[in-house]
Amino acid sequence: MDKFKAGLVLGAVGDALGFRKGRWESCPSGKKIQEELVDLGGLGALKLDPDNWPVSDAALLHMTTAEALVTDYWCLEDLYRELVRLYVEAMVCLQGRAPNPSTVEACAHLKPHNFLLAWHTPFNEKGSGFGAAAKAMCVGMRYWQPERLENLVEVSIEIGRMTHNHPTGFLGSLATALFASYAIQGKPVVTWGRDLMEVIPRAEEYCRKTIRHMSDYQENWFYFVAKWQFYLEEREIDKEGQNKPTFPDCKDAEETDRMYKRWSSEGRAGRRGHDAPMIAYDAFLAAKGDWAELCKRAMFHGGESEATGLIAGCLYGLMHGLNQVPQGLYMDLDKRERLEELGEALYKASSAEKCIDK
């Protein structure tokens, strides 16, 4: 249970660090961010509080998703209807936190008062952003057991499509949900990317059965897969048995930024559903359990550092807990009490012997 709590808390810590009240989220230079961090006294000297280090809209949507997952739903359709209701309500609460315009626009298509079509939204050319990936780790926490993989695939895709109905968007939510489940299972981190590639055909099969106009998605489907295959080949962990990732000698933040931009689709690292989980995963893989190293790579880079920080921080908490993390980062954290309550509730819900079918 403690690691479930730590996962949600450290996800919010990573988000707040990368966000820094909008200052670092919008900064394109990791070097500048890390210089400002030194001026603040370094990572260990930071004291995160709601006024100066609030969590971003991404962390609040992750919490909103978790709120629905801990309700006592009898079937997945009931879960989806509850999510629709909470997402629509959240759009009002998020106005002071600069929510992503494409997410707000997508939520306008949700129909909380339509029992049959509540969560059915049209294909969205703008839906390839990181938002779906950044809110789905709790899905992996709810369905972390290997025998619940079918539920994980379906729920992560459907919650992704509600706000990011584009393969690059909702495959991102599948990736982060899957990685969260692997962290809880204790699977070797180096295998996660390969295992994701093996699960994606299940996602495609599910979508073929449930999406009426699959042709709209097909031409965009392989972009996500191709990007991830390129990444795994670059790290030399694309094949079974290759368990020693190759990392370039990134001597400074500028080299790291250049590497991350290469993986992105438009030169802003972490902006899309494929590279936000990719950067978080790469940082987690490279850090080898070192919290400070994880922060340097996932929270303090140029680009969407609040999204990559949220994903990486959650994965770290699920695998390592709070022991190595300075207390000042989470003692007075924004929403900490509710985050811990949700972590406990997710643990209890995931442990309950209850098979959720359609």
Side-chain angles (χ1 to χ4, degrees):
M1 183 186 296
D2 288 344
K3 287 186 176 178
F4 273 66
K5 291 182 181 179
L8 289 187
V9 168
L10 291 187
V13 167
D15 172 89
L17 287 172
F19 183 52
R20 201 192 167 191
K21 215 170 183 178
R23 180 184 179 113
W24 286 349
E25 171 205 29
S26 59
C27 180
S29 170
K31 180 181 178 181
K32 183 177 179 181
I33 290 171
Q34 292 180 26
E35 287 173 349
E36 290 185 14
L37 178 64
V38 171
D39 292 339
L40 292 169
L43 182 64
L46 296 181
K47 307 291 183 186
L48 304 194
D49 64 83
D51 292 331
N52 298 299
W53 297 87
V55 296
S56 77
D57 61 306
L60 291 177
L61 277 179
H62 188 218
M63 290 180 67
T64 301
T65 306
E67 294 280 2
L69 286 164
V70 300
T71 58
D72 189 25
Y73 49 90
W74 286 97
C75 65
L76 292 182
E77 280 85 353
D78 284 347
L79 168 64
Y80 302 152
R81 293 183 188 102
E82 179 65 6
L83 274 165
V84 166
R85 185 183 71 81
L86 291 175
Y87 283 160
V88 171
E89 287 182 359
M91 289 304 103
V92 178
C93 303
L94 292 178
Q95 289 308 309
R97 311 226 181 194
N100 190 290
S102 63
T103 302
V104 176
E105 182 182 338
C107 284
H109 291 284
L110 296 174
K111 299 169 278 290
H113 303 297
N114 188 321
F115 186 81
L116 294 177
L117 301 174
W119 65 94
H120 295 280
T121 59
F123 173 76
N124 184 5
E125 286 283 359
K126 301 176 183 177
S128 61
F130 65 78
K135 67 177 181 176
M137 290 77 71
C138 55
V139 176
M141 296 168 69
R142 179 66 176 79
Y143 300 112
W144 65 267
Q145 300 96 332
E147 62 270 22
R148 307 305 296 277
L149 179 60
E150 185 176 344
N151 287 136
L152 183 151
V153 170
E154 175 175 342
V155 175
S156 64
I157 288 174
E158 291 297 348
I159 70 112
R161 290 183 62 209
M162 286 180 195
T163 55
H164 295 76
N165 200 352
H166 184 289
T168 307
F170 64 71
L171 288 178
S173 58
L174 170 65
T176 56
L178 200 61
F179 291 168
S181 75
Y182 291 161
I184 297 168
Q185 292 172 36
K187 293 188 73 169
V189 180
V190 72
T191 67
W192 294 5
R194 291 199 301 265
D195 292 342
L196 169 63
M197 294 295 96
E198 293 180 4
V199 172
I200 283 180
R202 286 183 180 231
E204 186 173 11
E205 181 183 357
Y206 172 76
C207 288
R208 286 187 181 280
K209 291 178 181 177
T210 56
I211 294 178
R212 182 173 297 176
H213 303 293
M214 188 63 183
S215 58
D216 293 337
Y217 299 78
Q218 200 66 52
E219 61 185 82
N220 298 285
W221 187 271
F222 296 104
Y223 180 81
F224 183 96
V225 178
K227 282 287 191 178
W228 265 89
Q229 194 60 47
F230 170 80
Y231 163 76
L232 294 172
E233 290 172 2
E234 184 172 333
R235 286 285 174 265
E236 298 183 3
I237 52 173
D238 55 315
K239 296 177 182 176
E240 196 69 36
Q242 294 179 332
N243 295 325
K244 291 184 178 180
T246 300
F247 288 97
D249 185 16
C250 287
K251 295 176 180 157
D252 57 38
E254 291 178 328
E255 288 186 26
T256 299
D257 282 351
R258 281 194 290 271
M259 178 174 66
Y260 289 172
K261 284 179 181 179
R262 239 187 25 254
W263 301 340
S264 71
S265 59
E266 54 189 49
R268 186 168 176 83
R271 191 169 182 81
R272 299 298 173 203
H274 71 282
D275 61 334
M278 187 182 293
I279 290 169
Y281 172 66
D282 192 71
F284 194 64
L285 185 61
K288 298 179 180 178
D290 186 317
W291 169 255
E293 183 66 18
L294 180 76
C295 290
K296 185 175 80 171
R297 291 173 174 268
M299 291 72 154
F300 307 134
H301 66 85
E304 301 291 349
S305 46
E306 86 288 7
T308 57
L310 171 56
I311 298 166
C314 184
L315 296 177
Y316 185 95
L318 292 174
M319 186 164 270
H320 300 293
L322 294 170
N323 290 340
Q324 290 191 42
V325 181
Q327 290 189 4
L329 296 181
Y330 60 84
M331 287 301 293
D332 298 315
L333 177 70
D334 191 14
K335 315 291 184 189
R336 178 191 165 193
E337 185 176 341
R338 186 54 187 156
L339 286 162
E340 291 183 340
E341 290 172 353
L342 286 171
E344 180 176 345
L346 279 168
Y347 174 81
K348 291 178 178 178
S350 72
S351 303
E353 289 296 327
K354 182 179 177 183
C355 184
I356 301 295
D357 294 317
K358 293 199 69 175

